[in-house]
Amino acid sequence: MISFEFIILATAVFVLAGSIKGTVGIGLPTAAIGILTQFTDARLAISLVAFPILFSNAWQVYREGKIRQTLRDYWRFALALMVMIAAMTFVTARIDERLLVMMLGIVILLFSLTNLISMPPRLPERFDALAQWIAGTLAGVLGGITAIWAPPTVIYLMARRVDKNEFVRASGLLIFLGSIPLCIGFWNAGLLSGDTAMLSLAMVVPSLAGFSLGEVLRRRLRAERFRKLVLLIFLVMGLNLIAKAILL
């Protein structure tokens, strides 16, 4: 039974996570899972992000437009991502809690370091198709287990040297498409059912409210400074989860 106090906590967390996504374009599952796992079971934290990821990124894709063009450019990445997420979601239901928390910490740490460290080498155009299959597969493995597949996605887009608008369009579409098999897989694995499914669906509202707030903040704040602050917080979260896993 999910307590009223936890529902209030989750609502506040998803407002914050949505505002981070609205400001910098990514980071909703990383923020939500990273914070919630400090207070509750890792599987519950992962399950709750399923519907907010789906709907917030659907909204982002709709707002950014150029869906067909983006899909033509990144269909290989999307296909590998969706297949691997569908194949790996069952692992989350069966993996040892300590190992799951450790993996979450490592993925969140990787996410923050990926965005804080300088650009990866430029990806030559002739290797783009192969890079999409590899990055999409790796992203799918991580996403199916932890519901966070931003690190390989960000590294690939940075290596491709996409501009700001294409980054937001591509990341939004890839995260949206990946969230479809994630929701189905979690449902089949029994992670997204009953009270958990209802609470995940309810968290769509604070996520979108936070997203709208983040869009306002994006226009008023220095986005780069805010982004670095968020990434430093994620870095601490990741290290804390790794320490928690060691002490479990």
Side-chain angles (χ1 to χ4, degrees):
M1 184 68 178
I2 298 175
S3 68
F4 178 74
E5 290 79 7
F6 181 75
I7 293 174
I8 298 299
L9 171 65
T11 300
V13 167
F14 276 98
V15 170
L16 175 61
S19 67
I20 291 172
K21 180 174 180 58
T23 305
V24 300
I26 53 176
L28 187 151
T30 309
I33 294 172
I35 297 173
L36 289 174
T37 306
Q38 315 292 330
F39 302 97
T40 190
D41 176 76
R43 287 182 181 82
L44 177 59
I46 292 171
S47 301
L48 289 182
V49 304
F51 287 132
I53 294 174
L54 178 67
F55 285 97
S56 64
N57 283 284
W59 179 243
Q60 180 172 320
V61 169
Y62 170 76
R63 293 287 297 272
E64 294 299 323
K66 297 186 179 180
I67 298 173
R68 290 184 179 178
Q69 177 185 329
T70 307
L71 191 56
R72 283 197 301 268
D73 290 340
Y74 300 101
W75 69 267
R76 298 174 184 84
F77 193 117
L79 180 59
L81 173 70
M82 295 176 75
V83 169
M84 292 308 301
I85 285 179
M88 297 301 296
T89 48
F90 76 95
V91 176
T92 306
R94 295 167 174 80
I95 194 171
D96 178 74
E97 172 76 8
R98 180 177 182 178
L99 180 57
L100 182 58
V101 173
M102 176 66 77
M103 289 187 66
L104 279 170
I106 292 172
V107 171
I108 292 173
L109 188 65
L110 176 61
F111 175 86
S112 59
L113 292 175
T114 296
N115 287 273
L116 284 169
I117 297 174
S118 60
M119 286 277 191
R122 179 185 290 273
L123 176 66
E125 185 65 30
R126 66 183 182 277
F127 296 133
D128 182 64
L130 178 61
Q132 286 197 39
W133 290 118
I134 295 173
T137 298
L138 179 57
V141 171
L142 291 177
I145 299 174
T146 67
I148 300 172
W149 57 94
T153 306
V154 170
I155 292 171
Y156 165 73
L157 292 174
M158 290 171 64
R160 192 168 170 171
R161 298 295 191 268
V162 300
D163 62 31
K164 177 182 177 181
N165 292 330
E166 185 174 350
F167 180 90
V168 174
R169 282 197 302 270
S171 61
L173 183 63
L174 292 171
I175 295 173
F176 167 70
L177 292 174
S179 67
I180 297 173
L182 183 78
C183 290
I184 296 172
F186 279 3
W187 181 276
N188 289 334
L191 293 172
L192 195 61
S193 59
D195 291 345
T196 303
M198 293 301 296
L199 184 55
S200 179
L201 192 58
M203 290 302 104
V204 172
V205 176
S207 297
L208 293 179
F211 186 88
S212 298
L213 175 62
E215 288 185 317
V216 175
L217 292 173
R218 190 193 305 175
R219 293 191 290 268
R220 297 187 177 183
L221 299 178
R222 294 183 60 180
E224 183 62 20
R225 179 176 295 178
F226 180 81
R227 184 183 73 89
K228 288 184 177 180
L229 175 61
V230 168
L231 292 171
L232 288 172
I233 294 171
F234 284 169
L235 184 68
V236 174
M237 282 184 197
L239 291 172
N240 186 57
L241 287 174
I242 292 171
K244 182 179 178 180
I246 293 171
L247 296 173
L248 276 178

